[in-house]
Amino acid sequence: MIRKIVLYLFISMSLPTAVVADPSTSGGQEATPMIEFSGADIGFLRLSLQDCIAAALKNNFDVEIARLNPRMEEKDISVEKARFDPILKASEEIREDQTPLNNFFVSGIFAPTEFFEDIRTFNTTLSILTPIGATASIEYDFNRRFAKPVGARVLIFNPAMNSFIEAKLTLPLLKKAGIFYNRSLIYIARNEKKVSLQAFKRTLIEVTNAVQRAYWDLVKAVEDLKVAHKSLQMAEEFLQKNKHQVEAGLMAPIEIVVAEEEVAARQEAIITTENAVKDREDELKRLMNFIRPGGDPILADMTIVPVDKPVFEVKKPSVV
């Protein structure tokens, strides 16, 4: 399954090979491939079925949206895994207290004075959540106190410093315990990514099938237009033949009216078939995202000439 997805991604990132042909070129000779379209005389774009599929997979908005969903789900997996990353917290506090003293035993002098105390505290904690639900942490605290005047009897050691290190391990017995419970969100995110990959694959298949249908419908419409022109030619030849026979007195004049009616019907069929060709061409352009607001008007106005033709193979069934 992964190989198929990689194959579809490779196809979707490939550029379509479009060959532009000038209407004045003779005998179906292909012009030199061009990267940029410019000039008012360019009006035909020769594309194979593979070119159309590659262009649709690259430019179709549905494919682009489906391509983004697995990336979003991959980000959700990273977010859920981040719950088990180590967390480092650090804080520092600097505080200065000023207190008036009127006590000889504290100040050490026989007059009221101001007592200043400088306190600095630093705390850091490193914690981590394990898959089984246990939380392990190491905490380090540092405290420093300095008093003024120095001769005050509040602190025996001035400055005074103390610190400690504490390690903790917290393991739940019932609630939120177990590997499956703590990693369940990761499993859910992985399943969501698999779903988005399958949806992406389904979108690629649907767009590919739609392009194939539109391409072969265009080929059929073009062939129907050729048949309509051939029928018109035959009807016009039949009309001329009837006119000659009426002039020679071999046929009633009413036969000319019947032949003219047949020519008009063939002309109407050509108009209807031309509209069908245009509709099939617009559908193929829509799938390849050639027709869009703000798009290239040259691509939107070009006439797509399908290069591939259906292959008919005569197979003889084996009697044995």
Side-chain angles (χ1 to χ4, degrees), residues 244-256:
H244 293 319
Q245 291 183 359
V246 170
E247 292 175 357
L250 300 176
M251 186 176 294
I254 191 62
E255 297 297 334
I256 296 179

Side-chain angles (χ1 to χ4, degrees), residues 60-72 200 203:
N60 192 274
F61 287 148
D62 294 336
V63 175
E64 187 65 25
I65 294 174
R67 183 187 290 114
L68 294 177
N69 290 334
R71 300 178 184 177
M72 297 173 60
F200 179 41
T203 302

Side-chain angles (χ1 to χ4, degrees), residues 44-64:
F44 292 88
L45 185 62
R46 298 174 60 86
L47 293 176
S48 64
L49 178 59
Q50 183 178 1
D51 296 334
C52 295
I53 293 175
L57 294 180
K58 178 177 175 58
N59 302 322
N60 192 274
F61 287 148
D62 294 336
V63 175
E64 187 65 25

Side-chain angles (χ1 to χ4, degrees), residues 171-182:
L171 177 63
L173 297 179
L174 296 177
K175 186 178 180 180
K176 297 183 180 181
I179 296 178
F180 181 79
Y181 176 85
N182 289 276

Side-chain angles (χ1 to χ4, degrees), residues 22-221:
D22 196 325
S24 61
T25 56
S26 60
Q29 295 179 353
E30 296 181 355
T32 304
M34 301 178 63
I35 299 176
E36 296 181 357
F37 302 102
S38 61
D41 57 341
I42 298 176
F44 292 88
L45 185 62
R46 298 174 60 86
L47 293 176
S48 64
L49 178 59
Q50 183 178 1
D51 296 334
C52 295
I53 293 175
L57 294 180
K58 178 177 175 58
N59 302 322
N60 192 274
F61 287 148
D62 294 336
V63 175
E64 187 65 25
I65 294 174
R67 183 187 290 114
L68 294 177
N69 290 334
R71 300 178 184 177
M72 297 173 60
E73 299 299 338
E74 183 67 28
K75 182 180 179 181
D76 293 341
I77 295 176
S78 301
V79 171
E80 298 302 334
K81 286 183 177 180
R83 298 173 56 246
F84 301 97
D85 293 341
I87 300 176
L88 178 63
K89 296 181 180 179
S91 62
E92 183 179 7
E93 181 184 4
I94 300 176
R95 187 175 77 249
E96 183 176 331
D97 295 339
Q98 180 179 354
T99 307
L101 293 178
N102 193 21
N103 192 317
F104 168 76
F105 296 101
V106 177
S107 63
I109 57 178
F110 289 95
T113 184
E114 295 290 336
F115 179 74
F116 296 91
E117 188 176 17
D118 184 20
I119 301 175
R120 298 186 179 185
T121 304
F122 176 75
N123 174 268
T124 179
T125 304
L126 177 63
S127 62
I128 184 173
L129 176 63
T130 62
I132 62 175
T135 303
S137 63
I138 299 178
E139 182 179 359
Y140 172 74
D141 281 346
F142 176 79
N143 182 272
R144 179 183 181 274
R145 300 179 67 183
F146 179 74
K148 298 178 183 180
V150 180
R153 301 178 182 179
V154 178
L155 300 176
I156 299 177
F157 299 100
N158 196 18
M161 294 176 287
N162 60 76
S163 62
F164 71 90
I165 299 178
E166 182 181 15
K168 294 181 180 180
L169 178 63
T170 305
L171 177 63
L173 297 179
L174 296 177
K175 186 178 180 180
K176 297 183 180 181
I179 296 178
F180 181 79
Y181 176 85
N182 289 276
R183 294 180 62 88
S184 59
L185 296 179
I186 299 178
Y187 299 149
I188 294 174
R190 287 176 178 175
N191 291 335
E192 292 294 336
K193 181 182 178 181
K194 292 179 181 179
V195 171
S196 62
L197 287 175
Q198 291 297 325
F200 179 41
K201 179 180 178 181
R202 183 173 61 252
T203 302
L204 293 176
I205 295 174
E206 291 176 353
V207 172
T208 302
N209 293 336
V211 171
Q212 293 187 59
R213 288 193 298 268
Y215 188 87
W216 294 121
D217 287 344
L218 177 60
V219 171
K220 179 180 179 299

Side-chain angles (χ1 to χ4, degrees), residues 272-312:
T272 304
T273 309
E274 287 177 349
N275 292 333
V277 171
K278 186 60 178 177
D279 293 340
R280 301 297 183 271
E281 183 183 355
D282 291 343
E283 176 65 17
L284 185 58
K285 289 181 179 179
R286 184 189 65 81
L287 293 172
M288 294 188 296
N289 205 18
F290 284 0
I291 303 176
R292 66 180 185 274
D296 193 348
I298 298 179
L299 286 177
D301 296 336
M302 278 187 174
T303 300
I304 296 179
V305 178
V307 177
D308 294 338
K309 302 298 180 182
V311 179
F312 298 95

